[in-house]
Amino acid sequence: MIKQAIIPLAGLGTRLLPLTSVFAKELLPINGKPGIEYILDECIEAGIKEVIFIISKKKKMIKDYFHNDKFYKKIIAKKKDTRIINEYKKILKYKKMIKFVYQNKPLGTGDAVLKTKKYIKDRFFLMLLPDDLIVKNNCSKSMIKIHNQYKSSVMASMNVDRKTVSRWGIYKLNKKINKNNYSIKDVIEKPSIKKAPSNKAVIGRYILPKNIFSKLMKQKPGNNGEIHITDAIQSLINENYKFIAHNFSGKYLDCGTMKGYIKSSLEISKL
């Protein structure tokens, strides 16, 4: 069973400037609730018991958000407000399951994953990228179900308009397993329309094997001097490790851009 999840949170959030010049984007409210809480709720519902947050010193406010006990106790002692009491209880529940590690230099998602190496206990773990919000159906839960069935790594997949493939990581598929699952042959980062092997895009949910750490430790930096997780995944695929692309059934929301962030609040308010 998969019981641990990691969430990279050290990114600078430049696409949401000027808000992120003073505020962690993952704490920005989406329909009145911080974005990170949607991700945590997805983890809890999927059966995850421990979540590792990868933050930077600049994003310390994320840790402060979950460790503000004195403030809550003082307010509750004065007001006895039921809503505030319930919010504090919820934060305490989250706090019990969260560990923090630091990535102080922006050296890519692969480097962020590597920071969690000593905390991962089991053969597989879940990774969620918080810019990708998936609502209505729990994507992590359905991926864990596929993992349990096939004993393999699983990555979330979504059909995108062929005209937009150059914005995404795109799967080259090996064979169809069933209606919503395919074995992966390759992952092509932002291909041209002509070179795109499919219209199935990589979305930020991954079930990864623990031996990805040995690949990341040896990996040389790619574009922009960053360690890319997709390069490590490709190395494992080349060694015949099985990776499945899972077409999830939830609604995808992109919270990483200003336009997407505003749209996400509107979409969630309709649920």
Side-chain angles (χ1 to χ4, degrees), residues 76-130:
I76 289 164
K78 275 184 184 178
K79 289 200 167 187
K80 304 283 191 298
D81 186 307
T82 308
R83 187 192 70 82
I84 296 170
I85 291 165
N86 289 336
E87 285 295 327
Y88 181 46
K89 281 179 181 174
K90 182 178 70 172
I91 284 168
L92 287 176
K93 182 178 78 171
Y94 292 145
K95 181 181 165 183
K96 281 179 187 173
M97 65 188 297
I98 300 170
K99 271 195 173 92
F100 291 88
V101 297
Y102 286 85
Q103 182 198 26
N104 289 319
K105 291 180 182 176
L107 297 176
T109 306
D111 179 66
V113 172
L114 198 49
K115 302 293 183 196
T116 68
K117 181 177 180 285
K118 68 177 181 180
Y119 298 105
I120 299 299
K121 298 164 192 159
D122 300 321
R123 284 182 59 222
F124 290 88
F125 61 95
L126 175 68
M127 177 170 78
L128 305 93
L129 302 185

Side-chain angles (χ1 to χ4, degrees), residues 4-16:
Q4 288 179 295
I6 68 171
I7 306 176
L9 299 167
L12 299 172
T14 50
R15 293 183 299 167
L16 282 172

Side-chain angles (χ1 to χ4, degrees), residues 235-248:
S235 293
L236 290 171
I237 291 170
N238 293 345
E239 292 176 12
N240 296 318
Y241 281 86
K242 192 174 181 182
F243 277 75
I244 291 173
H246 172 63
N247 257 35
F248 59 89

Side-chain angles (χ1 to χ4, degrees), residues 25 85 109 134 139 145 215 231:
K25 64 178 178 178
I85 291 165
T109 306
I134 300 166
C139 179
K145 193 176 177 183
K215 295 293 175 194
D231 292 344

Side-chain angles (χ1 to χ4, degrees), residues 12-20 25-26 28-30 35 129-133 167-168 190 252-266:
L12 299 172
T14 50
R15 293 183 299 167
L16 282 172
L17 283 169
L19 293 177
T20 47
K25 64 178 178 178
E26 297 83 7
L28 289 170
I30 298 172
L129 302 185
D131 281 357
D132 293 350
L133 207 56
R167 286 171 42 201
W168 306 85
K190 298 181 179 178
Y252 169 77
L253 299 169
D254 173 17
C255 302
T257 64
M258 191 61 78
K259 188 179 176 183
Y261 167 67
I262 292 164
K263 188 184 175 185
S264 296
S265 272
L266 293 170

